Amino acid sequence: MPRARPDRACDVLVLGSGIAGLSLAWKAAAFGNVIVLTKKEDSESNTQYAQGGIAAVFGRDDSFDAHERDTLRCGAGLCDAAVVRQVVREGPQRVAELEALGVPFTRTDHGFALGREGGHTRRRIVHAADFTGRAIERTLLGRVRRHARIRVLENHLAVDLLLESRIRHGGRTAARRDTCWGAYAYDRATGRIDPIVAKVTVLATGGCGKVYLYTTNPDVATGDGLAMGYRAGAPVANLEFVQFHPTCLFHPEAKSFLLSEALRGEGAVLRTLDGTRFMPGVHPSAELAPRDVVARAIDREMKRRGEPYVFLDITHRTPALVRKRFPNIVAALRRFGFDLTREPIPVVPAAHYMCGGVRADVRGRTALNGLLAIGEVACTGLHGANRLASNSLLEALVCAHHGAAEAERRVREVARVPRVAAWSRKGTRPPLETGLFDHNWDAVRRVMWDLVGIVRTDQRLAFAARRLALLSEEIENAYHTLRLSPDLIELRNIALVGGLIVESARRRGESRGLHYNADHPRIDRRWTGRSTVLRRRRE
Ligand code: FAD
Ligand code: SIN
């Protein structure tokens, strides 16, 4: 049988080059050879666009207990309290490590400058002005690119995981737990698909905002890791909890530009088009209520008034303060013809963050041997039914730290890796036309936006399930008969992830946190503490 290329084997294969993947790769290089696979240029990731910052306890008036309480309250009865405790308590150490690596966090004479965001009862967001993600990404990439034991393969898209059951038993195995031995990777430059074999594989592929028509996420966020994990038999959990960010710029030429919640932390308010503030009547914390509350209130106002957006207004703060605190946002808005210091800015909610994911613990361990999941692709129990703002960069750092220790344990334990067959193109042909892919991309994302958005109903979910099942059937057929392309690989993944979100939403017979179903508008206590878990049946 043709074998994997020898230069395509490593101890640790990291899928994804955001904060989670790069942090783990950097630590794993201390004990093994690492390949980081990333589907476009290495900086492209959700991390790169993070604005607000990292939530961690540094304030004099703050405490671990307060950060834990805020996280648990936001998570609405679904957080794992032990995970919350561990992640919150390790935050300051992980942030200090990042600063030591060179991230230029904004400081005052008294320590870190701390921002405020929705759901937080204290100022606790450590940030680098309003381009925190870019500063983190740049620093980590600077380290990783220069490391002799790390190879970054850009423009390589992981297609599917290499499983023991498929390598040795043609898809069937009697073993209780399957084992992951790497992944098949599509090289954009050559169109070839090759196996990359590894003792440990790390899913660090981020989120799935592109499942929705409107999102704050960049194009790479197509839920590939979630889809690969599910197809491999790893349970996925709590996918109904999609976080919609309340304030994405409304402009025909702006694709996914976020206006950070930190603006509301510095006093920005929301107004309808006639200038009326509406959040004070909705929640005691007004604009700083948790995100689900703010996004639903905006959605309600827009629908009630038939208006396409609302305004975010910070014109009452001094221009100097606004320019100093938000240089990135001010500059970006200027390019779209807006002056943040002088005029209210049109905004709409957009899909932002997936709180669920591949079930994993804080060490990244999943149900498969040799497969870790960290960062946004994972569901550790930190976020529950709603993520507290700026807790995700924190979670990625903590889980990458422990994931590296777990990877080391496994690398030392595994004596040899199995032989793996080359990817077979037998029976496939080049596509006759690609227009159908475009149509289905749009169809999946539109179904999700129209029927599985901020407000759901039983009927809409049933309709979405039927539409997605039909689309998935067509897409699966194309996947098995046509020569693969990145478009087709990603389309297959968004269709699968969309379907899983719908199935999770239909199973939860209540409204809780980010999941609001108008037919079951209240929390049902019987669901408290219960995750929605989906698992593919083994062949
Ligand atoms: P990502 O940073 O998304 O990285 C995923 C990587 O995987 C990318 O490199 C991608 O190219 C790669 N990849 C994906 N699929 C494949 C594949 N099939 N093959 C190979 N590579 C693949 N959180 C906060 O805590 N604070 C904030 O201030 C904040 N602001 C945000 C602002 C915006 C606009 C957005 C979109 C998100 C924000 N978030 C914030 C959320 C946070 O940025 C993300 O949750 C976090 O960065 C995820 O990190 P990650 O490493 O898990 O994934
Ligand atoms: C923001 O800056 O508003 C995003 C923060 C987050 O998603 O945690």
Side-chain angles (χ1 to χ4, degrees), residues 68 72 79-89 362 380-382:
E68 281 174 43
L72 291 167
C79 298
D80 179 325
V83 171
V84 173
R85 190 177 166 82
Q86 182 177 357
V87 172
V88 161
R89 280 160 201 261
V362 174
T380 62
L382 176 70

Side-chain angles (χ1 to χ4, degrees), residues 75-80 238 241 381 383-385 508 512 527-531:
L78 275 197
C79 298
D80 179 325
N238 291 346
F241 299 113
H383 308 307
R508 188 166 283 280
R512 182 186 294 269
W527 279 89
T528 299
R530 274 173 63 190
S531 289

